[in-house]
Amino acid sequence: MEETELSQLIESLVMKGAVQLDDKIVKSEFNVCEAHDLIWVYLKKDHAQIRYTALHLADVLFTRSALFRTHLVAQFPTFLALVVGGPRGSQPLPLPKLWAERVRRDAVEIVKKWEAKFGGAHKQERTKAIQLKKFRTAVEEMRTTEQSILENVEKMNGCFEILGLDTTVPPTSSSPTETPEPAVLFSTLRECAKVLVNKHLPLITRWIGEITRAGGDVDTQAHDQSLRKVIDLKQAVEGARKGAARVGVVV
């Protein structure tokens, strides 16, 4: 089912107050993810009757799709606030009042049903949701930080090249040491090494852990690509760190 077709279907169901879903939606991971995002749009609408239908659509998908459960559980506090209301009236449900009462009443019953039906599995979904959230955070952080990490490594490699250091061979007694002439190079290496050791390496180590732990809970191709990328980053950073150590720059 195409994205536009799915969007039109969900909109039609919400406007009609219907909660019958095509089996093709539940059987396709792409459709489940798209339906999840669309339902959230309607759960946030400032109209209680629209939220009422969106709630029941969420119930249908939650019951029939493990993937949908994983996505929803990851945002469960927000979901509850949208269908029950915030604590102490901090986030009241929108009007009409009659429909707001129906949303709140049915939401309580639906959540109780989910807990009774999925029990321990519900806890597993929560764990999966946490892992999935960490994976996405790690991938996004890597996407936005990768360039600065590589630029820092390249700056260090440039210094090594000027100093005549080949970081691909074992150290020798002729490895360069600091003298007055290349003092600026050593100063640059020290600054870069501090960033590398104190900021970039801890980040990369955390990313490797979070991406590895999410292995069974995310798309295999996306997981493997992300893991390969972060391992390549780790190798580049470790190579620069070792090169710095060979010329006496140790943080």
Side-chain angles (χ1 to χ4, degrees), residues 200-233:
H200 293 161
L201 264 177
L203 263 181
I204 291 171
T205 300
R206 176 166 61 80
W207 293 341
I208 289 176
E210 291 174 351
I211 290 171
T212 301
R213 284 191 293 272
D217 303 320
V218 300
D219 175 74
T220 301
Q221 183 178 359
H223 173 265
D224 291 350
Q225 288 177 346
S226 299
L227 189 58
R228 282 196 296 270
K229 180 177 287 188
V230 75
I231 289 174
D232 288 345
L233 274 178

PDB file of all heavy atoms in Angstrom, residues 200-233:
ATOM      1  N   HIS A 200      35.321  12.270  21.613  1.00  0.00           N
ATOM      2  CA  HIS A 200      34.938  11.392  20.511  1.00  0.00           C
ATOM      3  C   HIS A 200      34.984   9.904  20.873  1.00  0.00           C
ATOM      4  O   HIS A 200      34.057   9.151  20.544  1.00  0.00           O
ATOM      5  CB  HIS A 200      35.812  11.663  19.288  1.00  0.00           C
ATOM      6  CG  HIS A 200      35.588  13.014  18.693  1.00  0.00           C
ATOM      7  ND1 HIS A 200      36.485  13.646  17.844  1.00  0.00           N
ATOM      8  CD2 HIS A 200      34.548  13.884  18.813  1.00  0.00           C
ATOM      9  CE1 HIS A 200      36.023  14.824  17.476  1.00  0.00           C
ATOM     10  NE2 HIS A 200      34.851  14.997  18.061  1.00  0.00           N
ATOM     11  N   LEU A 201      36.048   9.462  21.541  1.00  0.00           N
ATOM     12  CA  LEU A 201      36.139   8.047  21.900  1.00  0.00           C
ATOM     13  C   LEU A 201      35.009   7.594  22.826  1.00  0.00           C
ATOM     14  O   LEU A 201      34.415   6.535  22.596  1.00  0.00           O
ATOM     15  CB  LEU A 201      37.504   7.736  22.518  1.00  0.00           C
ATOM     16  CG  LEU A 201      38.559   7.182  21.549  1.00  0.00           C
ATOM     17  CD1 LEU A 201      39.887   6.982  22.259  1.00  0.00           C
ATOM     18  CD2 LEU A 201      38.103   5.865  20.929  1.00  0.00           C
ATOM     19  N   PRO A 202      34.677   8.352  23.888  1.00  0.00           N
ATOM     20  CA  PRO A 202      33.537   7.937  24.724  1.00  0.00           C
ATOM     21  C   PRO A 202      32.225   7.868  23.944  1.00  0.00           C
ATOM     22  O   PRO A 202      31.416   6.965  24.169  1.00  0.00           O
ATOM     23  CB  PRO A 202      33.485   9.033  25.801  1.00  0.00           C
ATOM     24  CG  PRO A 202      34.873   9.565  25.876  1.00  0.00           C
ATOM     25  CD  PRO A 202      35.390   9.509  24.466  1.00  0.00           C
ATOM     26  N   LEU A 203      32.019   8.820  23.030  1.00  0.00           N
ATOM     27  CA  LEU A 203      30.818   8.795  22.199  1.00  0.00           C
ATOM     28  C   LEU A 203      30.757   7.525  21.361  1.00  0.00           C
ATOM     29  O   LEU A 203      29.742   6.826  21.323  1.00  0.00           O
ATOM     30  CB  LEU A 203      30.808  10.010  21.264  1.00  0.00           C
ATOM     31  CG  LEU A 203      30.005  11.247  21.667  1.00  0.00           C
ATOM     32  CD1 LEU A 203      30.135  12.298  20.567  1.00  0.00           C
ATOM     33  CD2 LEU A 203      28.551  10.935  21.925  1.00  0.00           C
ATOM     34  N   ILE A 204      31.858   7.228  20.687  1.00  0.00           N
ATOM     35  CA  ILE A 204      31.908   6.065  19.797  1.00  0.00           C
ATOM     36  C   ILE A 204      31.724   4.776  20.576  1.00  0.00           C
ATOM     37  O   ILE A 204      31.011   3.864  20.146  1.00  0.00           O
ATOM     38  CB  ILE A 204      33.239   6.051  19.012  1.00  0.00           C
ATOM     39  CG1 ILE A 204      33.262   7.209  18.011  1.00  0.00           C
ATOM     40  CG2 ILE A 204      33.443   4.718  18.306  1.00  0.00           C
ATOM     41  CD1 ILE A 204      34.593   7.420  17.331  1.00  0.00           C
ATOM     42  N   THR A 205      32.339   4.696  21.763  1.00  0.00           N
ATOM     43  CA  THR A 205      32.183   3.501  22.603  1.00  0.00           C
ATOM     44  C   THR A 205      30.727   3.300  22.994  1.00  0.00           C
ATOM     45  O   THR A 205      30.208   2.176  22.970  1.00  0.00           O
ATOM     46  CB  THR A 205      33.050   3.635  23.871  1.00  0.00           C
ATOM     47  OG1 THR A 205      34.428   3.778  23.486  1.00  0.00           O
ATOM     48  CG2 THR A 205      32.903   2.406  24.759  1.00  0.00           C
ATOM     49  N   ARG A 206      30.049   4.387  23.345  1.00  0.00           N
ATOM     50  CA  ARG A 206      28.616   4.277  23.699  1.00  0.00           C
ATOM     51  C   ARG A 206      27.799   3.870  22.486  1.00  0.00           C
ATOM     52  O   ARG A 206      26.905   3.037  22.593  1.00  0.00           O
ATOM     53  CB  ARG A 206      28.111   5.616  24.256  1.00  0.00           C
ATOM     54  CG  ARG A 206      26.617   5.607  24.560  1.00  0.00           C
ATOM     55  CD  ARG A 206      26.208   6.788  25.408  1.00  0.00           C
ATOM     56  NE  ARG A 206      26.465   8.064  24.782  1.00  0.00           N
ATOM     57  CZ  ARG A 206      25.681   8.615  23.847  1.00  0.00           C
ATOM     58  NH1 ARG A 206      24.602   7.975  23.413  1.00  0.00           N
ATOM     59  NH2 ARG A 206      25.966   9.797  23.349  1.00  0.00           N
ATOM     60  N   TRP A 207      28.091   4.463  21.323  1.00  0.00           N
ATOM     61  CA  TRP A 207      27.344   4.109  20.117  1.00  0.00           C
ATOM     62  C   TRP A 207      27.485   2.623  19.796  1.00  0.00           C
ATOM     63  O   TRP A 207      26.510   1.966  19.459  1.00  0.00           O
ATOM     64  CB  TRP A 207      27.851   4.930  18.924  1.00  0.00           C
ATOM     65  CG  TRP A 207      27.577   6.387  19.010  1.00  0.00           C
ATOM     66  CD1 TRP A 207      26.646   7.019  19.792  1.00  0.00           C
ATOM     67  CD2 TRP A 207      28.245   7.427  18.282  1.00  0.00           C
ATOM     68  NE1 TRP A 207      26.697   8.373  19.602  1.00  0.00           N
ATOM     69  CE2 TRP A 207      27.662   8.657  18.684  1.00  0.00           C
ATOM     70  CE3 TRP A 207      29.274   7.441  17.354  1.00  0.00           C
ATOM     71  CZ2 TRP A 207      28.083   9.882  18.167  1.00  0.00           C
ATOM     72  CZ3 TRP A 207      29.698   8.653  16.836  1.00  0.00           C
ATOM     73  CH2 TRP A 207      29.110   9.864  17.237  1.00  0.00           C
ATOM     74  N   ILE A 208      28.698   2.101  19.914  1.00  0.00           N
ATOM     75  CA  ILE A 208      28.922   0.687  19.618  1.00  0.00           C
ATOM     76  C   ILE A 208      28.073  -0.184  20.540  1.00  0.00           C
ATOM     77  O   ILE A 208      27.431  -1.140  20.101  1.00  0.00           O
ATOM     78  CB  ILE A 208      30.414   0.324  19.753  1.00  0.00           C
ATOM     79  CG1 ILE A 208      31.211   0.954  18.607  1.00  0.00           C
ATOM     80  CG2 ILE A 208      30.606  -1.199  19.767  1.00  0.00           C
ATOM     81  CD1 ILE A 208      32.707   0.741  18.699  1.00  0.00           C
ATOM     82  N   GLY A 209      28.049   0.161  21.825  1.00  0.00           N
ATOM     83  CA  GLY A 209      27.258  -0.610  22.784  1.00  0.00           C
ATOM     84  C   GLY A 209      25.771  -0.559  22.467  1.00  0.00           C
ATOM     85  O   GLY A 209      25.087  -1.593  22.474  1.00  0.00           O
ATOM     86  N   GLU A 210      25.258   0.638  22.196  1.00  0.00           N
ATOM     87  CA  GLU A 210      23.817   0.803  21.963  1.00  0.00           C
ATOM     88  C   GLU A 210      23.385   0.181  20.637  1.00  0.00           C
ATOM     89  O   GLU A 210      22.311  -0.410  20.546  1.00  0.00           O
ATOM     90  CB  GLU A 210      23.457   2.287  22.031  1.00  0.00           C
ATOM     91  CG  GLU A 210      23.590   2.836  23.445  1.00  0.00           C
ATOM     92  CD  GLU A 210      23.381   4.340  23.538  1.00  0.00           C
ATOM     93  OE1 GLU A 210      23.301   4.980  22.468  1.00  0.00           O
ATOM     94  OE2 GLU A 210      23.303   4.853  24.657  1.00  0.00           O
ATOM     95  N   ILE A 211      24.217   0.307  19.617  1.00  0.00           N
ATOM     96  CA  ILE A 211      23.883  -0.286  18.325  1.00  0.00           C
ATOM     97  C   ILE A 211      23.961  -1.810  18.401  1.00  0.00           C
ATOM     98  O   ILE A 211      23.100  -2.517  17.872  1.00  0.00           O
ATOM     99  CB  ILE A 211      24.817   0.258  17.228  1.00  0.00           C
ATOM    100  CG1 ILE A 211      24.501   1.732  16.963  1.00  0.00           C
ATOM    101  CG2 ILE A 211      24.683  -0.550  15.938  1.00  0.00           C
ATOM    102  CD1 ILE A 211      25.490   2.434  16.058  1.00  0.00           C
ATOM    103  N   THR A 212      24.966  -2.329  19.094  1.00  0.00           N
ATOM    104  CA  THR A 212      25.114  -3.777  19.236  1.00  0.00           C
ATOM    105  C   THR A 212      23.941  -4.381  19.997  1.00  0.00           C
ATOM    106  O   THR A 212      23.369  -5.401  19.590  1.00  0.00           O
ATOM    107  CB  THR A 212      26.429  -4.111  19.962  1.00  0.00           C
ATOM    108  OG1 THR A 212      27.532  -3.587  19.216  1.00  0.00           O
ATOM    109  CG2 THR A 212      26.599  -5.615  20.101  1.00  0.00           C
ATOM    110  N   ARG A 213      23.559  -3.753  21.104  1.00  0.00           N
ATOM    111  CA  ARG A 213      22.464  -4.302  21.931  1.00  0.00           C
ATOM    112  C   ARG A 213      21.125  -4.288  21.208  1.00  0.00           C
ATOM    113  O   ARG A 213      20.235  -5.083  21.528  1.00  0.00           O
ATOM    114  CB  ARG A 213      22.363  -3.518  23.246  1.00  0.00           C
ATOM    115  CG  ARG A 213      23.457  -3.868  24.241  1.00  0.00           C
ATOM    116  CD  ARG A 213      23.163  -3.278  25.603  1.00  0.00           C
ATOM    117  NE  ARG A 213      23.211  -1.833  25.603  1.00  0.00           N
ATOM    118  CZ  ARG A 213      24.327  -1.122  25.807  1.00  0.00           C
ATOM    119  NH1 ARG A 213      25.484  -1.737  26.009  1.00  0.00           N
ATOM    120  NH2 ARG A 213      24.297   0.195  25.802  1.00  0.00           N
ATOM    121  N   ALA A 214      20.965  -3.389  20.244  1.00  0.00           N
ATOM    122  CA  ALA A 214      19.692  -3.286  19.525  1.00  0.00           C
ATOM    123  C   ALA A 214      19.609  -4.249  18.349  1.00  0.00           C
ATOM    124  O   ALA A 214      18.644  -4.228  17.597  1.00  0.00           O
ATOM    125  CB  ALA A 214      19.495  -1.852  19.027  1.00  0.00           C
ATOM    126  N   GLY A 215      20.600  -5.115  18.193  1.00  0.00           N
ATOM    127  CA  GLY A 215      20.688  -5.987  17.033  1.00  0.00           C
ATOM    128  C   GLY A 215      19.443  -6.778  16.703  1.00  0.00           C
ATOM    129  O   GLY A 215      19.085  -6.934  15.546  1.00  0.00           O
ATOM    130  N   GLY A 216      18.757  -7.311  17.716  1.00  0.00           N
ATOM    131  CA  GLY A 216      17.582  -8.136  17.455  1.00  0.00           C
ATOM    132  C   GLY A 216      16.289  -7.366  17.356  1.00  0.00           C
ATOM    133  O   GLY A 216      15.228  -7.953  17.111  1.00  0.00           O
ATOM    134  N   ASP A 217      16.353  -6.056  17.558  1.00  0.00           N
ATOM    135  CA  ASP A 217      15.131  -5.255  17.644  1.00  0.00           C
ATOM    136  C   ASP A 217      14.956  -4.255  16.505  1.00  0.00           C
ATOM    137  O   ASP A 217      13.978  -3.516  16.484  1.00  0.00           O
ATOM    138  CB  ASP A 217      15.108  -4.491  18.982  1.00  0.00           C
ATOM    139  CG  ASP A 217      15.216  -5.423  20.169  1.00  0.00           C
ATOM    140  OD1 ASP A 217      14.582  -6.495  20.121  1.00  0.00           O
ATOM    141  OD2 ASP A 217      15.924  -5.093  21.130  1.00  0.00           O
ATOM    142  N   VAL A 218      15.923  -4.211  15.576  1.00  0.00           N
ATOM    143  CA  VAL A 218      15.831  -3.260  14.468  1.00  0.00           C
ATOM    144  C   VAL A 218      16.063  -3.986  13.151  1.00  0.00           C
ATOM    145  O   VAL A 218      16.495  -5.144  13.125  1.00  0.00           O
ATOM    146  CB  VAL A 218      16.850  -2.106  14.616  1.00  0.00           C
ATOM    147  CG1 VAL A 218      16.609  -1.326  15.893  1.00  0.00           C
ATOM    148  CG2 VAL A 218      18.278  -2.643  14.599  1.00  0.00           C
ATOM    149  N   ASP A 219      15.786  -3.302  12.057  1.00  0.00           N
ATOM    150  CA  ASP A 219      16.014  -3.850  10.731  1.00  0.00           C
ATOM    151  C   ASP A 219      17.469  -4.288  10.583  1.00  0.00           C
ATOM    152  O   ASP A 219      18.393  -3.533  10.894  1.00  0.00           O
ATOM    153  CB  ASP A 219      15.676  -2.787   9.680  1.00  0.00           C
ATOM    154  CG  ASP A 219      15.996  -3.252   8.274  1.00  0.00           C
ATOM    155  OD1 ASP A 219      15.242  -4.083   7.756  1.00  0.00           O
ATOM    156  OD2 ASP A 219      17.000  -2.772   7.721  1.00  0.00           O
ATOM    157  N   THR A 220      17.679  -5.526  10.108  1.00  0.00           N
ATOM    158  CA  THR A 220      19.022  -6.105  10.041  1.00  0.00           C
ATOM    159  C   THR A 220      19.961  -5.272   9.181  1.00  0.00           C
ATOM    160  O   THR A 220      21.114  -5.015   9.566  1.00  0.00           O
ATOM    161  CB  THR A 220      18.959  -7.537   9.474  1.00  0.00           C
ATOM    162  OG1 THR A 220      18.116  -8.332  10.322  1.00  0.00           O
ATOM    163  CG2 THR A 220      20.347  -8.167   9.428  1.00  0.00           C
ATOM    164  N   GLN A 221      19.499  -4.820   8.033  1.00  0.00           N
ATOM    165  CA  GLN A 221      20.347  -4.035   7.135  1.00  0.00           C
ATOM    166  C   GLN A 221      20.754  -2.711   7.771  1.00  0.00           C
ATOM    167  O   GLN A 221      21.923  -2.319   7.733  1.00  0.00           O
ATOM    168  CB  GLN A 221      19.633  -3.781   5.809  1.00  0.00           C
ATOM    169  CG  GLN A 221      20.493  -3.036   4.791  1.00  0.00           C
ATOM    170  CD  GLN A 221      19.780  -2.846   3.462  1.00  0.00           C
ATOM    171  OE1 GLN A 221      18.656  -3.278   3.280  1.00  0.00           O
ATOM    172  NE2 GLN A 221      20.429  -2.182   2.517  1.00  0.00           N
ATOM    173  N   ALA A 222      19.783  -2.023   8.383  1.00  0.00           N
ATOM    174  CA  ALA A 222      20.080  -0.747   9.040  1.00  0.00           C
ATOM    175  C   ALA A 222      21.053  -0.956  10.186  1.00  0.00           C
ATOM    176  O   ALA A 222      21.974  -0.149  10.402  1.00  0.00           O
ATOM    177  CB  ALA A 222      18.795  -0.106   9.545  1.00  0.00           C
ATOM    178  N   HIS A 223      20.855  -2.042  10.944  1.00  0.00           N
ATOM    179  CA  HIS A 223      21.740  -2.335  12.072  1.00  0.00           C
ATOM    180  C   HIS A 223      23.161  -2.605  11.599  1.00  0.00           C
ATOM    181  O   HIS A 223      24.131  -2.048  12.127  1.00  0.00           O
ATOM    182  CB  HIS A 223      21.213  -3.545  12.849  1.00  0.00           C
ATOM    183  CG  HIS A 223      22.155  -4.015  13.918  1.00  0.00           C
ATOM    184  ND1 HIS A 223      23.060  -5.036  13.713  1.00  0.00           N
ATOM    185  CD2 HIS A 223      22.356  -3.571  15.183  1.00  0.00           C
ATOM    186  CE1 HIS A 223      23.769  -5.210  14.809  1.00  0.00           C
ATOM    187  NE2 HIS A 223      23.365  -4.337  15.719  1.00  0.00           N
ATOM    188  N   ASP A 224      23.310  -3.464  10.574  1.00  0.00           N
ATOM    189  CA  ASP A 224      24.641  -3.833  10.098  1.00  0.00           C
ATOM    190  C   ASP A 224      25.373  -2.637   9.499  1.00  0.00           C
ATOM    191  O   ASP A 224      26.581  -2.463   9.710  1.00  0.00           O
ATOM    192  CB  ASP A 224      24.532  -4.951   9.058  1.00  0.00           C
ATOM    193  CG  ASP A 224      24.077  -6.271   9.670  1.00  0.00           C
ATOM    194  OD1 ASP A 224      24.046  -6.354  10.917  1.00  0.00           O
ATOM    195  OD2 ASP A 224      23.734  -7.196   8.915  1.00  0.00           O
ATOM    196  N   GLN A 225      24.647  -1.799   8.749  1.00  0.00           N
ATOM    197  CA  GLN A 225      25.275  -0.611   8.169  1.00  0.00           C
ATOM    198  C   GLN A 225      25.771   0.339   9.250  1.00  0.00           C
ATOM    199  O   GLN A 225      26.876   0.881   9.162  1.00  0.00           O
ATOM    200  CB  GLN A 225      24.280   0.108   7.248  1.00  0.00           C
ATOM    201  CG  GLN A 225      24.002  -0.619   5.941  1.00  0.00           C
ATOM    202  CD  GLN A 225      22.949   0.086   5.097  1.00  0.00           C
ATOM    203  OE1 GLN A 225      22.231   0.971   5.579  1.00  0.00           O
ATOM    204  NE2 GLN A 225      22.845  -0.296   3.834  1.00  0.00           N
ATOM    205  N   SER A 226      24.942   0.538  10.270  1.00  0.00           N
ATOM    206  CA  SER A 226      25.317   1.448  11.361  1.00  0.00           C
ATOM    207  C   SER A 226      26.498   0.894  12.143  1.00  0.00           C
ATOM    208  O   SER A 226      27.399   1.640  12.537  1.00  0.00           O
ATOM    209  CB  SER A 226      24.122   1.658  12.296  1.00  0.00           C
ATOM    210  OG  SER A 226      23.038   2.248  11.610  1.00  0.00           O
ATOM    211  N   LEU A 227      26.484  -0.436  12.373  1.00  0.00           N
ATOM    212  CA  LEU A 227      27.578  -1.048  13.126  1.00  0.00           C
ATOM    213  C   LEU A 227      28.888  -0.951  12.360  1.00  0.00           C
ATOM    214  O   LEU A 227      29.942  -0.636  12.945  1.00  0.00           O
ATOM    215  CB  LEU A 227      27.243  -2.513  13.435  1.00  0.00           C
ATOM    216  CG  LEU A 227      28.198  -3.233  14.391  1.00  0.00           C
ATOM    217  CD1 LEU A 227      28.271  -2.508  15.725  1.00  0.00           C
ATOM    218  CD2 LEU A 227      27.758  -4.681  14.591  1.00  0.00           C
ATOM    219  N   ARG A 228      28.844  -1.204  11.044  1.00  0.00           N
ATOM    220  CA  ARG A 228      30.063  -1.086  10.237  1.00  0.00           C
ATOM    221  C   ARG A 228      30.603   0.341  10.255  1.00  0.00           C
ATOM    222  O   ARG A 228      31.813   0.567  10.356  1.00  0.00           O
ATOM    223  CB  ARG A 228      29.784  -1.518   8.785  1.00  0.00           C
ATOM    224  CG  ARG A 228      29.721  -3.020   8.582  1.00  0.00           C
ATOM    225  CD  ARG A 228      29.825  -3.384   7.104  1.00  0.00           C
ATOM    226  NE  ARG A 228      28.697  -2.866   6.345  1.00  0.00           N
ATOM    227  CZ  ARG A 228      27.571  -3.525   6.144  1.00  0.00           C
ATOM    228  NH1 ARG A 228      27.413  -4.728   6.663  1.00  0.00           N
ATOM    229  NH2 ARG A 228      26.594  -2.996   5.429  1.00  0.00           N
ATOM    230  N   LYS A 229      29.697   1.307  10.159  1.00  0.00           N
ATOM    231  CA  LYS A 229      30.121   2.707  10.138  1.00  0.00           C
ATOM    232  C   LYS A 229      30.787   3.106  11.454  1.00  0.00           C
ATOM    233  O   LYS A 229      31.839   3.757  11.456  1.00  0.00           O
ATOM    234  CB  LYS A 229      28.917   3.614   9.867  1.00  0.00           C
ATOM    235  CG  LYS A 229      29.268   5.089   9.837  1.00  0.00           C
ATOM    236  CD  LYS A 229      28.070   5.956   9.508  1.00  0.00           C
ATOM    237  CE  LYS A 229      27.690   5.849   8.060  1.00  0.00           C
ATOM    238  NZ  LYS A 229      26.650   6.842   7.682  1.00  0.00           N
ATOM    239  N   VAL A 230      30.206   2.690  12.577  1.00  0.00           N
ATOM    240  CA  VAL A 230      30.764   3.091  13.871  1.00  0.00           C
ATOM    241  C   VAL A 230      32.081   2.363  14.140  1.00  0.00           C
ATOM    242  O   VAL A 230      32.995   2.924  14.760  1.00  0.00           O
ATOM    243  CB  VAL A 230      29.744   2.867  15.010  1.00  0.00           C
ATOM    244  CG1 VAL A 230      29.614   1.397  15.377  1.00  0.00           C
ATOM    245  CG2 VAL A 230      30.146   3.669  16.252  1.00  0.00           C
ATOM    246  N   ILE A 231      32.223   1.131  13.651  1.00  0.00           N
ATOM    247  CA  ILE A 231      33.494   0.411  13.802  1.00  0.00           C
ATOM    248  C   ILE A 231      34.580   1.082  12.969  1.00  0.00           C
ATOM    249  O   ILE A 231      35.731   1.220  13.420  1.00  0.00           O
ATOM    250  CB  ILE A 231      33.320  -1.072  13.406  1.00  0.00           C
ATOM    251  CG1 ILE A 231      32.490  -1.798  14.473  1.00  0.00           C
ATOM    252  CG2 ILE A 231      34.681  -1.752  13.249  1.00  0.00           C
ATOM    253  CD1 ILE A 231      32.130  -3.217  14.112  1.00  0.00           C
ATOM    254  N   ASP A 232      34.231   1.514  11.761  1.00  0.00           N
ATOM    255  CA  ASP A 232      35.196   2.251  10.928  1.00  0.00           C
ATOM    256  C   ASP A 232      35.642   3.537  11.626  1.00  0.00           C
ATOM    257  O   ASP A 232      36.827   3.900  11.592  1.00  0.00           O
ATOM    258  CB  ASP A 232      34.582   2.587   9.572  1.00  0.00           C
ATOM    259  CG  ASP A 232      34.430   1.362   8.672  1.00  0.00           C
ATOM    260  OD1 ASP A 232      35.046   0.332   8.977  1.00  0.00           O
ATOM    261  OD2 ASP A 232      33.663   1.444   7.686  1.00  0.00           O
ATOM    262  N   LEU A 233      34.692   4.227  12.239  1.00  0.00           N
ATOM    263  CA  LEU A 233      35.036   5.438  12.988  1.00  0.00           C
ATOM    264  C   LEU A 233      35.983   5.118  14.137  1.00  0.00           C
ATOM    265  O   LEU A 233      36.959   5.833  14.385  1.00  0.00           O
ATOM    266  CB  LEU A 233      33.764   6.097  13.542  1.00  0.00           C
ATOM    267  CG  LEU A 233      32.999   7.072  12.646  1.00  0.00           C
ATOM    268  CD1 LEU A 233      31.752   7.557  13.365  1.00  0.00           C
ATOM    269  CD2 LEU A 233      33.864   8.253  12.243  1.00  0.00           C
TER     270      LEU A 233
END
